[in-house]
Amino acid sequence: MARPRKPLLSRALIVDTARALVDAEGLGALSTRRLAAELGVSGPSLYNHFRTKDQILEAVADSVSAQVDLSMFEDGRDWRTALRDWAVSYRAALTAHPHVVPLLAHGPGRRPSGLRLADAVFGAMVAAGWPAAQATSIGALMRYYVMGSALGSFAGGFVDDETAYDPADYPHLGQAHLLAERQQKIDERAFETGLTALLDGLSRQYEQVTSRTV
């Protein structure tokens, strides 16, 4: 019986395997030797596609940015709806790959998908009537907010031991031990609360901006 053929080594396969390794074990687990072993190839064969481990990490980060939906900026949705829908998609991509967030936090640099993301947000805000300077600030604001929400869980930061928070020391944390078991619901509700507040504030600013141009 013929042996099954190994899939041909490609940039896409290297990136997918590296991302899966980072997702499972964190950034510290990734090395060219470990990655080559996961792929069943020799280490030098990776260098036919990437010169350094840093280039692989950049490609992994960009592959996460590529998962963010940008269609809402092209299909006629108003700027507020588009910004909300984009933020939800952006957060979903980051929370699916939390170990990659520190790489993305440095900014897009030269990563194609990251640059397309920044270009789409800025272009949509300018097209909606925001001045360029404020459109830049909106992009930065949303990036700070979404990335911050993906860096860690508020609810998951509490232990589920009801004896851990002595009311003599923490009189208002009597129910804190219940947060961990409701982590996803609490974190999603907190994200939605903050996102609505941000968009409400931007909507008030937008009214001021557009009233000055009438």
Side-chain angles (χ1 to χ4, degrees), residues 18 35 53 61 92 111 141 166 173 177 186 189 208:
L35 181 56
K53 185 182 85 168
R111 302 184 207 119
L141 166 67
D166 190 329
L173 296 183
H177 65 283
I186 291 170
R189 187 171 61 204
Q208 297 173 358

Side-chain angles (χ1 to χ4, degrees), residues 4 9 12 16 18 45 55 71 89 92 115 128 130 135 155-156 172 179-180 183 192:
L9 192 63
D16 288 348
S45 63
Q55 285 190 349
S71 64
S89 176
L115 290 170
W130 286 97
H172 305 296
L179 295 178
Q183 176 178 331
E192 285 293 333

Side-chain angles (χ1 to χ4, degrees), residues 44-195:
S45 63
L46 297 177
Y47 298 118
N48 293 324
H49 301 275
F50 294 96
R51 292 196 301 272
T52 65
K53 185 182 85 168
D54 285 344
Q55 285 190 349
I56 296 173
L57 287 171
E58 284 289 289
V60 167
D62 207 45
S63 73
V64 173
S65 294
Q67 296 175 15
V68 182
D69 183 15
L70 299 176
S71 64
M72 65 285 296
F73 297 120
E74 303 168 353
D75 61 10
R77 274 173 262 190
D78 65 272
W79 71 266
R80 176 176 172 140
T81 301
L83 205 57
R84 169 182 283 281
D85 293 345
W86 168 73
V88 171
S89 176
Y90 193 12
R91 181 175 182 267
L94 298 189
T95 54
H97 308 283
H99 295 307
V100 182
V101 175
L103 292 175
L104 293 169
H106 293 296
R110 296 172 183 252
R111 302 184 207 119
S113 295
L115 290 170
R116 281 193 289 271
L117 188 155
D119 183 73
V121 175
F122 177 80
M125 295 305 102
V126 171
W130 286 97
Q134 285 178 278
T136 300
S137 296
I138 290 169
L141 166 67
M142 299 304 292
R143 179 170 167 270
Y144 298 153
Y145 179 66
V146 175
M147 284 198 176
S149 74
L151 278 172
S153 166
F154 171 79
F158 295 87
V159 299
D160 61 2
D161 179 1
E162 63 181 328
T163 68
Y165 307 109
D166 190 329
D169 297 320
Y170 314 107
H172 305 296
L173 296 183
Q175 301 295 307
H177 65 283
L178 300 176
L179 295 178
E181 67 182 41
R182 304 171 187 171
Q183 176 178 331
Q184 183 176 355
K185 181 177 181 180
I186 291 170
D187 289 346
E188 288 180 356
R189 187 171 61 204
F191 176 75
E192 285 293 333
T193 299
L195 182 58

